Amino acid sequence: MKINYDLHNIDCKDLVIDPVSLVYLDPPYSCESEDSYYGVGSTLDDFVCYMQERFLNIKKVMTKDANILCHMDWKAIHYIKVAMDEIFGRDNFRNEIIWCFSNPASTKRWLPRKHNTILWYGMGDYVFNPPRVPYKTKMNVGGDSAWSKEKIPWEQYEKKGKLLEDWWVDLPAICRNEPEKNGYATQKSLKLMTRIVEIWSNPGDRILDPFCGSGSFLEAGACLDRAVVGSDKNAAAIEIAKNRLELLKDDIFTE
C-alpha cells in the first residue's frame, strides 16, 4: 500500500489545494480565556469570527459532493453550529454526534463534562457508509422479534448488529500512559479517527484535516488507502504529523 500524504505548515484560511471530499477538523474550542491549550481571540465573538473565516476557505476546497465534520466541546459548539449552518447550509446538516468518554473528575459545582460534539454536514451525493455495532440491550425476551416485519428469530438480529447511532460510548479517550500518545495536548484516538474515515469516505478519496495537530486523522486515512492532506499553522504539529506518517511508511515497507 502506498502512503499518499501532503502537509502544509499554514493557516487553513490561506490553504489552496486540489478539492477534497471529506474534511474533519478538531480546531481550537474557544477564545484564549476559555481554551487553555489553543484558544484564539480575546472574546467569544473573536473566536467565532476566526472560525467563520476558516470555514469559508475550507468550503472552497471541498467537492460538490462532500462531507465536513467539526469536533468541539461544550464551550462554543452552539455558536459554531449557527456559523456552519450559514456557510454550509442548514439543510445540509445531518447529525449532532455525541462522543462520550469517562475519566476521573473532581468538579463540585457541576456535573463532569465528559463528552464532545461532532457536527456533520453532508452536501450533494455525499459518501455515507453506516456501520453496525453489537447490541447492548436484551434481545431474547421471548419468541420472535416483535418489532420485526419478517418475524425472524432474535438471534439473527443479534448477529447482524444494529446501526451505529449518533451517540458513541464505545471509543474511550486516550489515557496519558498509552503508547499511542505522541505529546500533542488534544490528541484524539486512532480508533475514533478510523471510524470517521470509514463512515464518510471511500478508498482512494482525498481527505483533509485543516487543524491536523497530532496527525491521528491523517494516519487513519493513510492506513485506509485515502490520500490525506493536513495543514496546521503550528510547525511543531506538522513535524509530529510528518514523523507519524513517515513511521507508517517504514512499517509498511518492512512488512
Side-chain angles (χ1 to χ4, degrees), residues 89-103:
R90 188 169 183 268
D91 290 343
N92 292 321
F93 178 68
R94 306 301 171 195
N95 275 117
E96 177 187 51
I97 299 160
I98 305 302
W99 172 48
C100 303
F101 45 88
S102 181
N103 45 34

Side-chain angles (χ1 to χ4, degrees), residues 25-249:
L25 60 152
D26 183 17
Y29 286 175
S30 191
C31 56
E32 293 172 357
S33 62
E34 294 186 348
D35 182 349
S36 58
Y37 291 113
Y38 305 110
V40 173
S42 300
T43 67
L44 181 60
D45 285 344
D46 290 342
F47 172 69
V48 173
C49 288
Y50 167 90
M51 289 303 301
Q52 286 174 322
E53 186 177 14
R54 280 140 190 85
F55 283 137
L56 287 168
N57 194 54
I58 289 168
K59 186 178 181 181
K60 292 178 183 178
V61 303
M62 294 169 62
T63 65
K64 64 181 179 64
D65 302 314
N67 290 299
I68 181 167
L69 293 96
C70 183
H71 184 152
M72 300 187 69
D73 71 2
W74 58 274
K75 293 188 283 292
I77 189 67
H78 306 90
Y79 300 89
I80 295 303
K81 169 67 165 63
V82 174
M84 293 186 76
D85 279 350
E86 293 175 354
I87 294 169
F88 299 103
R90 188 169 183 268
D91 290 343
N92 292 321
F93 178 68
R94 306 301 171 195
N95 275 117
E96 177 187 51
I97 299 160
I98 305 302
W99 172 48
C100 303
F101 45 88
S102 181
N103 45 34
S106 58
T107 177
K108 297 180 180 178
R109 298 290 291 173
W110 54 79
L111 298 175
R113 295 159 178 156
K114 298 298 179 184
H115 79 271
N116 285 176
T117 301
I118 303 173
L119 302 176
W120 166 35
Y121 292 74
M123 287 154 283
D125 188 18
Y126 57 86
V127 173
F128 181 52
N129 304 308
R132 288 187 174 271
V133 296
Y135 282 100
K136 297 292 186 181
T137 55
K138 294 180 179 178
M139 297 289 294
N140 56 340
V141 292
D144 294 337
S145 301
W147 33 266
S148 165
K149 293 181 180 179
E150 297 83 8
K151 302 299 180 183
I152 66 175
W154 65 267
E155 290 92 347
Q156 292 187 30
Y157 272 102
E158 187 174 53
K159 183 177 180 180
K160 185 177 181 182
K162 66 175 182 177
L163 286 171
L164 179 69
E165 293 140 333
D166 61 358
W167 48 279
W168 298 355
V169 297
D170 58 334
L171 301 174
I174 302 177
C175 297
R176 64 182 61 186
N177 60 345
E178 289 190 60
E180 188 179 334
K181 289 286 285 185
N182 62 16
Y184 199 83
T186 58
Q187 181 181 355
K188 301 304 184 293
S189 76
L190 193 57
K191 287 183 178 179
L192 176 63
M193 297 298 98
T194 296
R195 172 172 287 176
I196 289 170
V197 172
E198 288 179 332
I199 294 175
W200 288 287
S201 69
N202 291 322
D205 285 351
R206 185 174 166 84
I207 65 177
L208 167 68
D209 185 345
F211 292 85
C212 66
S214 68
S216 297
F217 179 77
L218 303 180
E219 179 175 343
C223 287
L224 293 167
D225 197 26
R226 276 65 165 174
V228 298
V229 184
S231 71
D232 205 300
K233 65 181 182 180
N234 183 343
I238 292 294
E239 190 64 22
I240 289 172
K242 181 179 179 181
N243 290 339
R244 189 168 185 169
L245 292 168
E246 287 298 318
L247 285 172
L248 187 61
K249 287 173 64 174

